Amino acid sequence: MDIDSIPDFLAQQRDAAPADLQQHFFTFEDYWERKLWHQLTDELVEYFNKAESGPQRIPLYKTFISSFADKINQLQLVTLGLKAATECQDDQERLTFLTSLADKVDKPSSQDAFVYATVAVASVKLHLQDYDGARKGLDEAEQILDSFDSVETVVHASFYRVNAEYYHAKLEFASYYKNALLYLACIDLSGLTPQERESRAYDLSVAALVSDSIYNFGELLLHPILDSLTATPHAWLRELLFAFNRGDRAACDVLAGNVSKNELLAQHRDFLYQKISLSALTETVFKRPPHDRAMTFATISDETKVKPDEIEHLIMKALSLGLLRGSIDQVAEIARINWVQPKVLDMKQINNMRSRLKEWDSSVNQLGNWIEGVGQDVWAA
């Protein structure tokens, strides 16, 4: 559009805007005429963040913002473009719009903006089920991100969010779990709606349970996102996670009836049995003092409630996963454990550790008294 036509365009858009937003257009024109690009950008971002601005976003972006796009912060340009893209009629139109935006900011001086736009393109491709295209874009974005010394948090957050969505769609649970937690670390939870927080907590919990490489839920159990399941129909899932963490077979059996409510959990029912058995085993070892970790298979079976003929395989599985370190005497049916993987403790587990520390303190005192008693002559000398 001809620069001389900009005031007329802004006047048209002002008349089409809701009455309570029309004052923004006077500010747009004022900053534009005075070439105050930073202030103009901030005003546009504020306007685009208002839900009522929807109908004006695409016209403003294509006609007004594009006329000075090279003069403003390119990351902010992408932010405005992403807001405008929400008004596209369908994903195909949105893909074309965002691809053009990514190409526009693909310059050496604005690679952060390029990553931001590329991730948005990948997100649309995910919705269109173009998984190969989405993965290619995400890999390109990750490679550029790795080359940065620092980058705006919003860029990292968008990458982790879309990367998590990709892995969720591909049922790669461990990768989803990692990226979803990284995304949550980049944002303020108050910026999510209660429904979004509940949905993310639910998906994270399911991923943690069904992943064959996640046996320590500590980071999730300590994250406030998990509290989003409290007082919801999915509260049982939070309780199940804590029961798994402390190896509580009895509590898991009580909650097992809910497993059928989720298709993935139902499909992994046998694996969940193995996982809670492993957790019960590590908890059994953890509760014992280091000098008392040579246990017979019968003792392990009694304490974990696992069938005796499954104990040897269970211990071997725990050793191969790195949950335990030690050795097995197959003839004597004894497991000697010298290390157990650390994990987050609940209050009951902390109290057990407190009792063990008190026992250790008492043993040290007894040893000190014994040494003092038998060595009186030495001390006297």
Side-chain angles (χ1 to χ4, degrees):
M1 175 178 278
D2 186 357
I3 292 179
D4 295 335
S5 303
I6 292 293
D8 292 336
F9 169 77
L10 289 176
Q12 292 172 0
Q13 292 299 312
R14 181 183 69 238
D15 293 340
D20 59 337
L21 297 183
Q22 291 183 358
Q23 76 276 7
H24 285 282
F25 289 84
F26 293 109
T27 307
F28 294 160
E29 186 172 357
D30 177 43
Y31 288 154
W32 175 76
E33 289 178 344
R34 295 161 62 191
K35 295 181 172 57
L36 298 175
W37 307 123
H38 176 72
Q39 291 86 339
L40 176 55
T41 303
D42 288 345
E43 188 71 16
L44 283 163
V45 170
E46 180 183 347
Y47 180 73
F48 273 43
N49 281 336
K50 298 180 185 296
E52 300 86 345
S53 70
Q56 277 75 48
R57 289 176 186 170
I58 290 181
L60 277 172
Y61 183 87
K62 289 185 174 180
T63 303
F64 180 51
I65 297 172
S66 294
S67 69
F68 55 85
D70 293 335
K71 297 180 174 65
I72 66 175
N73 180 287
Q74 298 298 279
L75 193 58
Q76 291 287 60
L77 174 64
V78 174
T79 299
L80 292 168
L82 296 184
K83 284 289 186 181
T86 61
E87 300 303 315
C88 291
Q89 294 183 355
D90 54 42
D91 279 337
Q92 199 59 56
E93 180 185 342
R94 189 172 296 109
L95 179 61
T96 302
F97 179 89
L98 291 174
T99 300
S100 174
L101 174 60
D103 292 339
K104 186 175 184 62
V105 297
D106 186 9
K107 296 173 287 188
S109 60
S110 57
Q111 286 295 282
D112 55 345
F114 175 64
V115 168
Y116 199 18
T118 299
V119 168
V121 171
S123 179
V124 177
K125 288 182 177 180
L126 272 181
H127 293 159
L128 293 170
Q129 297 187 348
D130 178 9
Y131 298 120
D132 291 340
R135 186 67 263 162
K136 181 179 178 181
L138 288 169
D139 287 343
E140 182 180 9
E142 184 173 24
Q143 185 175 5
I144 298 172
L145 278 174
D146 289 342
S147 69
F148 291 151
D149 291 329
S150 63
V151 69
E152 292 288 338
T153 304
V154 67
V155 179
H156 264 134
S158 67
F159 171 75
Y160 291 132
R161 175 181 57 80
V162 179
N163 213 26
E165 289 174 0
Y166 170 83
Y167 288 122
H168 189 265
K170 299 294 286 185
L171 300 182
E172 296 183 27
F173 306 114
S175 296
Y176 165 75
Y177 181 84
K178 173 187 174 183
N179 281 273
L181 284 175
L182 286 170
Y183 165 66
L184 293 176
C186 293
I187 65 169
D188 183 351
L189 286 184
S190 63
L192 300 177
T193 66
Q195 292 76 19
E196 287 174 329
R197 290 197 294 270
E198 181 182 341
S199 175
R200 292 198 174 277
Y202 183 86
D203 289 340
L204 271 166
S205 299
V206 172
L209 288 169
V210 301
S211 171
D212 60 2
S213 60
I214 300 174
Y215 290 86
N216 190 335
F217 312 140
E219 194 171 357
L220 178 58
L221 296 179
L222 292 173
H223 203 291
I225 192 71
L226 201 58
D227 293 334
S228 304
L229 296 178
T230 305
T232 72
H234 307 307
W236 62 270
L237 191 54
R238 180 179 181 276
E239 295 174 14
L240 187 62
L241 272 176
F242 278 97
F244 262 75
N245 184 65
R246 62 179 182 268
D248 191 341
R249 287 285 303 273
C252 287
D253 289 342
V254 171
L255 297 165
N258 295 290
V259 168
S260 58
K261 295 179 181 178
N262 179 277
E263 185 178 352
L264 277 174
L265 292 178
Q267 291 173 356
H268 290 78
R269 191 182 292 272
D270 291 342
F271 173 72
L272 291 176
Y273 169 78
Q274 182 189 77
K275 202 165 189 175
I276 184 58
S277 298
L278 285 166
S279 184
L281 172 60
T282 57
E283 180 63 18
T284 296
V285 175
F286 178 79
K287 288 189 299 185
R288 290 172 171 266
H291 63 271
D292 186 27
R293 289 181 175 173
M295 298 173 287
T296 64
F297 289 7
T299 299
I300 295 174
S301 176
D302 182 59
E303 294 192 20
T304 62
K305 311 305 179 188
V306 175
K307 297 175 182 177
D309 60 347
E310 297 177 0
I311 294 299
E312 183 177 347
H313 179 266
L314 183 68
I315 299 170
M316 292 174 65
K317 184 71 174 177
L319 292 172
S320 68
L321 290 169
L323 303 178
L324 302 175
R325 293 175 190 165
S327 60
I328 302 175
D329 185 334
Q330 294 174 306
V331 176
E333 295 191 338
I334 294 175
R336 295 180 175 86
I337 309 300
N338 52 45
W339 180 87
V340 58
Q341 184 186 70
K343 60 181 177 180
V344 171
L345 308 180
D346 60 21
M347 291 307 296
K348 183 177 179 181
Q349 290 169 311
I350 291 173
N351 192 52
N352 288 338
M353 179 171 281
R354 175 176 173 271
S355 299
R356 283 168 48 193
L357 285 171
K358 289 176 68 176
E359 291 175 5
W360 174 79
D361 181 61
S362 176
S363 297
V364 170
N365 284 332
Q366 289 176 10
L367 179 60
N369 292 333
W370 178 80
I371 293 174
E372 184 179 355
V374 300
Q376 287 180 353
D377 294 338
V378 176
W379 311 137

